[in-house]
Amino acid sequence: MSNNQGTVLGLFAGIGGLELGLKQSGFHPVMLCEIEQGAQAVLKNKFPSAPLVEDVRTIKKVPCGVKIITAGFPCQDLSSSGLKVGIKGEQSFLVDEVFRLLGTTEDLDWLLLENVKFMLHLNKGSAMSYITSKLTSLGYNWAYRVVNTQSFGLPQRRHRVYILASKKYDPRNVLLADDSGYNPNKYTIEDGVPCGFYWTEGRYSTGMNINGIPPLKAGSTIGIPSPPAVLLSSGFAGTPDIKDAERLQGFPEEWTKPTESVSKASHRWKLVGNSVSVPVAAWIGSRLNNPISYCSESDIEHNKTDKWPMSAWSMGSKVYKSFASEWPVNNTFIGLDNFLKYPLKPLSIRASKGYLSRAELGNLKHPTGFIENLMKHIKDMS
């Protein structure tokens, strides 16, 4: 596909992670749709030439010339930390608007959907069954893959499902052909590097990531920002600066600054946590321009009674399990010890003690020295 074909309709655009990544490969948004006011402020500032529509339900048809539709449709009903009511929840059902719009055009090259990995498992994968069956019924070939942001060198462990569909082209040659097969983050706690974790957890899970952070979240269920914590080998614990959080998603720092014109500064955490990692979208964009042949010889037919795999595809009525890993590329990994530019905000004594108390009640294993270093942080803060 040549760059002059790269016009994008960005639905549920958020702060433009998909659109910014695709733009790096010459695909420019001609219309954006986003209902959240804080995200709207960012889009107006960063993509001033693209008309902004508030409600997807008011778009009657796909604008003339659009070749790609992107849609990071709402995940609140699908997330493991969200409502878990499934694809027909009050938010996630809006994916039906995407299918409605697909029926208004015959000129589209690609559809790119993105959502949380948990959708593969929630309600026995009913969301994936629904989405893929709709695509098949509309005549689309499709492929999906779980991709980890760490594959692109960023120190954030973040799994997201990317679904690519087309009536004209083979999505496997874009989404599945690249495969490095392994995690570029080779650090261990013995290396004396920072350790990322969620201070709000501790009893049932930790979100632990050595020299990286666990996935950035939109915040708590009541809208309070909850950035992950970073514990240094020196025994200091703190939370990252919002500018580093933006960089951890692949955005330029201060990308979400425009939202402060309509919302509190803390709202930026929600926007960053909800967003798509820009380098992943940039990789997809580069493959849209330069697809490579996918070898499906080892793939096997997917049994509908089985769990949805980490990657799969369909070029007709049958669904096949792919063995493509979550690591499409192996970019040079930059750990937190070298990535963070701004000082950490000290984790409060209350938050630190809360984590320790939950850890005492649970039976989760922690890396050697982790508990001792966190206790040292509490002592030093006191």
Side-chain angles (χ1 to χ4, degrees):
M1 178 187 292
S2 62
N3 285 353
N4 62 5
Q5 293 178 308
T7 52
V8 177
L9 168 60
L11 305 177
F12 315 108
I15 57 174
L18 284 174
E19 294 73 24
L20 177 60
L22 290 176
K23 186 177 180 181
Q24 295 174 12
S25 294
F27 304 106
H28 299 280
V30 295
M31 179 183 287
L32 296 170
C33 179
E34 174 56 49
I35 199 168
E36 206 276 335
Q37 285 192 340
Q40 286 179 1
V42 176
L43 295 175
K44 290 175 183 177
N45 181 272
K46 303 302 181 181
F47 302 98
S49 63
L52 181 60
V53 179
E54 183 171 287
D55 193 335
V56 66
R57 291 166 291 193
T58 65
I59 303 176
K60 300 304 180 184
K61 62 179 182 178
V62 175
C64 181
V66 165
K67 295 296 181 179
I68 303 175
I69 293 178
T70 59
F73 64 97
C75 66
Q76 293 95 322
D77 302 314
L78 302 173
S79 171
S80 60
S81 59
L83 301 175
K84 304 180 186 177
V85 295
I87 192 67
K88 287 300 181 180
E90 183 177 348
Q91 300 294 326
S92 296
F93 88 96
L94 289 170
V95 72
D96 280 341
E97 293 298 315
V98 178
F99 300 132
R100 175 182 64 81
L101 288 171
L102 290 181
T104 69
T105 179
E106 292 295 329
D107 198 32
L108 193 70
D109 286 338
W110 298 101
L111 169 69
L112 176 59
L113 303 175
E114 178 271 346
N115 216 291
V116 293
K117 177 185 175 183
F118 193 63
M119 70 183 293
L120 297 179
H121 314 295
L122 180 63
N123 297 335
K124 298 182 179 180
S126 62
M128 284 302 300
S129 298
Y130 180 76
I131 291 170
T132 55
S133 64
K134 287 289 289 186
L135 290 173
T136 299
S137 69
L138 290 168
Y140 280 79
N141 302 317
W142 56 263
Y144 78 80
R145 182 177 192 171
V146 174
V147 177
N148 193 323
T149 294
Q150 284 191 150
S151 184
F152 296 85
L154 292 174
Q156 179 191 182
R157 184 185 64 244
R158 187 180 188 85
H159 298 94
R160 289 295 184 269
V161 178
Y162 295 85
I163 306 171
L164 187 66
S166 177
K167 286 184 176 181
K168 303 178 182 179
Y169 305 106
D170 188 341
R172 299 174 300 176
N173 296 340
V174 175
L175 202 59
L176 303 180
D178 287 315
D179 199 358
S180 76
Y182 65 96
N183 186 352
N185 181 0
K186 302 297 183 183
Y187 289 95
T188 67
I189 196 70
E190 285 74 25
D191 294 322
V193 292
C195 185
F197 68 104
Y198 262 106
W199 55 270
T200 52
E201 301 179 6
R203 185 170 183 179
Y204 303 109
S205 64
T206 62
M208 203 73 65
N209 192 14
I210 308 302
N211 215 7
I213 62 165
L216 290 164
K217 299 178 181 179
S220 69
T221 55
I222 57 175
I224 299 174
S226 55
V230 176
L231 180 62
L232 305 181
S233 58
S234 63
F236 175 83
T239 56
D241 187 280
I242 185 61
K243 295 188 289 292
D244 274 333
E246 292 167 326
R247 295 175 57 240
L248 283 160
Q249 285 282 54
F251 289 98
E253 56 187 73
E254 300 287 24
W255 181 264
T256 59
K257 183 72 172 179
T259 197
E260 293 185 17
S261 64
V262 296
S263 302
K264 296 179 180 179
S266 60
H267 185 62
R268 295 168 65 181
W269 281 100
K270 178 178 180 180
L271 300 180
V272 173
N274 270 337
S275 190
V276 176
S277 299
V278 175
V280 184
W283 161 68
I284 293 173
S286 69
R287 277 286 165 255
L288 289 174
N289 280 329
N290 299 287
I292 56 177
S293 181
Y294 173 70
C295 179
S296 62
E297 289 181 359
S298 62
D299 294 351
I300 59 176
E301 188 172 349
H302 172 63
N303 189 327
K304 292 183 179 180
T305 61
D306 292 342
K307 294 180 180 178
W308 283 98
M310 294 280 281
S311 55
W313 56 270
S314 176
M315 300 292 288
S317 59
K318 293 183 178 180
V319 177
Y320 290 87
K321 176 182 178 180
S322 168
F323 292 90
S325 74
E326 64 187 74
W327 313 106
V329 299
N330 185 23
N331 288 1
T332 301
F333 183 79
I334 304 174
L336 286 179
D337 54 344
N338 291 310
F339 183 89
L340 298 177
K341 289 177 59 177
Y342 298 95
L344 298 170
K345 178 183 178 181
L347 190 65
S348 70
I349 294 175
R350 180 180 178 183
S352 303
K353 286 185 175 180
Y355 182 91
L356 284 180
S357 65
R358 291 188 295 274
E360 290 174 359
L361 294 172
N363 58 358
L364 299 174
K365 290 184 178 180
H366 288 78
T368 302
F370 179 90
I371 295 297
E372 291 77 10
N373 279 340
L374 189 55
M375 293 176 67
K376 181 179 183 298
H377 170 73
I378 294 172
K379 181 179 179 181
D380 291 345
M381 288 286 288
S382 301

